[in-house]
Amino acid sequence: MTKYFKNERGMVLLVAIIGLVVTGTVITGFVVSGVMERRDANSTRRSAQAFAVAEHGLSETVGNWEPGIYNMLAVDSSVAVNGSPAGGSGSYAGTVTRLNNELFVVDITGQDAGSRTQQSIGALVRLRTIDMDVQAALTTQGTTKIGGNAKVDGTNTDPTAWMNCHPDTNMSGIRLPPGELHGQGSCAGPSYSCIAGSPPVSEDATIDSTTFFQYGDMDWDALVLMRNKLVTPGTHTGIGPDIQGGACILATEDNWGDPLAPASACGGYFPIMYVEGNLSISGGYGQGILLVDGNLSVQGGFEFFGIVVTRGVLKTTGTGGHFNGAVMAANVDLDDNSILGDALVQYSSCAVARVLTNAAPGAMLRSRGWLYSY
């Protein structure tokens, strides 16, 4: 005969305990899973934030390219960069390293503001050389008077103390529309003894506004936007380099580099200067690209190495000015250009090429510009 235990009150407790354990295990699993997913989400968000900061740093470094600093670097040398986006979302730091005369690598590490999460990104940057079609020491569109002891010479001449200049062909002394040249005194036509070059005078009926305001794939407005020095209209005297504590002070308005001492702290500084109005210069020296949205008057033996483009007229008086490179006077109001006194406009392919390269902004390579990210 089979006997059954009728006291089963302990089974209820056991089942209840087992139910609580199972329920607790399930809930714990959900909680742990949620916590892990939240941590993963936060980690992904922070990584994405750090990467966005790094991208911002790269874009800001390339977009605000500083020729006065980066273009002055020697090959295989670097300079540190740092900053932070607006809003305090993080910070970035990195380096700009010069690989050769045209290529740079920009290496940026971004860090999220709420953690130590970091992401790095790198890109290859090439100097965007400005394409200016220089065909003469002096190119102009309007009536041009030349006389006194002034001289315009298209014979290619390297600036004194400048190294690594490559031989190049000679250019015309003056290039202008037919019938616009008026020699005075000993420089009277048809010989124009104060003009030299190959040929001395080039009369070109095709000269128009594009000659002065179109530079390859960019125009005057685009070139003005590339300026890194805004010069106040009016009279400037004693233009020259500003070196303090062995450093070139780029912010000084009248610091236009040091062409007379290429090895000095300001010797590699080739700014793009823009003047929104008329400019009068007396004495001093500088280098780079000078853009004058008005008339340019020079006296006092001012020396300039590079390219001058003026929308108005060019006038030199007294001891005049010495221009080494090329001058383009658009003469938009059709007044007379006056190259008088002891002025000298001397063509120099070395000066032209060097300022176009060293004043150029940086741009990421269109193909394979991204170097790495991690």
Side-chain angles (χ1 to χ4, degrees), residues 67 91 104 121 128 138 157 166 182-183 191 195 211 213 222 239 261 270 278 311 315 338 343 355 363 370 373:
S91 61
F104 296 76
I121 193 170
R128 185 186 176 192
L138 172 63
T157 303
H166 303 290
H182 298 274
S191 62
I195 306 175
T211 305
F213 305 131
I239 290 174
F270 295 86
N278 298 331
R311 293 180 67 94
K315 295 182 183 292
S338 299
V355 301
W370 295 100
S373 63

Side-chain angles (χ1 to χ4, degrees), residues 41-87:
N42 285 337
S43 178
T44 301
R45 178 184 60 80
R46 290 167 179 169
S47 295
Q49 183 66 50
F51 190 80
V53 172
E55 281 190 312
H56 174 86
L58 177 64
S59 298
E60 190 168 73
T61 301
V62 176
N64 298 324
W65 193 260
E66 299 187 47
I69 298 176
Y70 308 146
N71 294 6
M72 292 172 64
L73 290 172
V75 174
D76 293 330
S77 60
S78 304
V79 63
V81 295
N82 57 74
S84 58

Side-chain angles (χ1 to χ4, degrees), residues 221-307:
D221 293 333
L223 188 57
V224 168
L225 289 175
M226 289 168 53
R227 71 184 185 274
N228 44 35
K229 188 174 290 291
L230 187 63
V231 179
T232 306
T235 301
H236 290 252
T237 60
I239 290 174
D242 184 5
I243 300 176
Q244 300 179 23
C248 185
I249 309 302
L250 308 183
T252 303
E253 182 177 355
D254 287 339
N255 177 8
W256 297 4
D258 193 351
L260 304 186
S264 72
C266 291
Y269 179 43
F270 295 86
I272 300 178
M273 289 80 64
Y274 173 64
V275 187
E276 192 174 10
N278 298 331
L279 176 65
S280 178
I281 303 176
S282 179
Y285 54 96
Q287 63 187 7
I289 300 176
L290 176 60
L291 306 174
V292 182
D293 199 358
N295 300 327
L296 174 61
S297 176
V298 178
Q299 55 276 331
F302 171 71
E303 288 189 79
F304 189 79
F305 295 74
I307 299 175

Side-chain angles (χ1 to χ4, degrees), residues 21 31 40 46 81 89 101 119 153 162 164 257 294:
V21 170
V31 170
D40 287 344
R46 290 167 179 169
V81 295
S89 57
N101 289 336
Q119 290 286 338
D153 192 349
W162 285 33
N164 301 319

